[in-house]
Amino acid sequence: DAAIGTGTRLWQHCIVLAGARIGRDCKLAHNVFVEGGVIVGDRVVIKDNVCLYDGLEIADDVFIGPNAVFTNVRNPRAHVSRKDAFDKIRIGRGATIGANATMVCGNDVADYAMIGAGAVVTKDVKDHQLVVGNPARPRGWVSRTGEVLGRDLVCPRTGERYQETEDGLIAAH
C-alpha cells in the first residue's frame, strides 16, 4: 500500500513500508529505508544508507547525501513507547542535506537551504541558508542552483539576485 510515483527508481535493498508516499522521478539509492508515514516529493534524490522515519516530509527537488540521519523522537528509550510523540521534520523545496549530516527532529530546513556534510542541525534553517558544523551554524547563503553567494548576493552561475529577509533570502525583482 505504498504509493510510488512513475519514473521513480529504487536501487537494491530498499525497503518502503505501507503508507509511504514517494513522488515521481525520484532516485532511492542502495539501502534506503522509508517508514509508512513519510512523504517524499517529486525528483528527490536519496543516496545510500538513509533511513526516513515517520514524521518526515520532503518537498520536491531535494538532495539527501549518503548516510544522512533523521530522528523523530527527542528522548528515545527502548522500554518506553513514544509513537505518539514523534516530532516532525520538513525539508523544503530544492534543499540539500550533505553526507553524514544529522537532522534532529522538530527542526525544519527551508527552501533551497544547504546543510554541510557532517553538520548536526539543532535549529530551523532559513531559505537559502548554508549551515555547517556541530551544532550547525550559519556560514552564508546559497543560490537556487547551490552556488555560495558573495556579499552582493548575486549567483555567480545564473546572475540571479537575492535580498535578505527575516526568513532568509528571496529572489530580488
Side-chain angles (χ1 to χ4, degrees), residues 61 63 93-96 111-114 127-130 141-150 153-162 169 171:
D61 303 311
F63 177 89
R93 180 182 188 97
T96 294
D111 295 348
Y112 301 105
M114 185 171 290
D127 290 335
H128 295 274
Q129 195 169 44
L130 168 63
W141 303 104
V142 293
S143 70
R144 185 184 49 78
T145 60
E147 300 292 330
V148 176
L149 300 175
L153 300 179
V154 175
C155 177
R157 177 181 297 267
T158 66
E160 188 172 28
R161 297 180 178 281
Y162 295 87
L169 293 187

Side-chain angles (χ1 to χ4, degrees), residues 6-45:
T6 59
T8 290
R9 294 176 292 192
L10 305 178
W11 294 8
Q12 70 272 24
H13 308 295
C14 284
I15 298 171
V16 179
L17 298 184
R21 295 188 330 213
I22 300 173
R24 296 183 324 268
D25 299 316
C26 295
K27 297 174 191 170
L28 279 67
H30 161 259
N31 205 33
V32 171
F33 174 79
V34 184
E35 280 192 330
V38 172
I39 299 169
V40 176
D42 297 333
R43 298 170 306 281
V44 172
V45 174

Side-chain angles (χ1 to χ4, degrees), residues 106-129:
N107 301 293
D108 294 334
V109 174
D111 295 348
Y112 301 105
M114 185 171 290
I115 311 304
V120 179
V121 175
T122 60
K123 296 179 182 175
D124 289 346
V125 179
K126 296 178 179 185
D127 290 335
H128 295 274
Q129 195 169 44

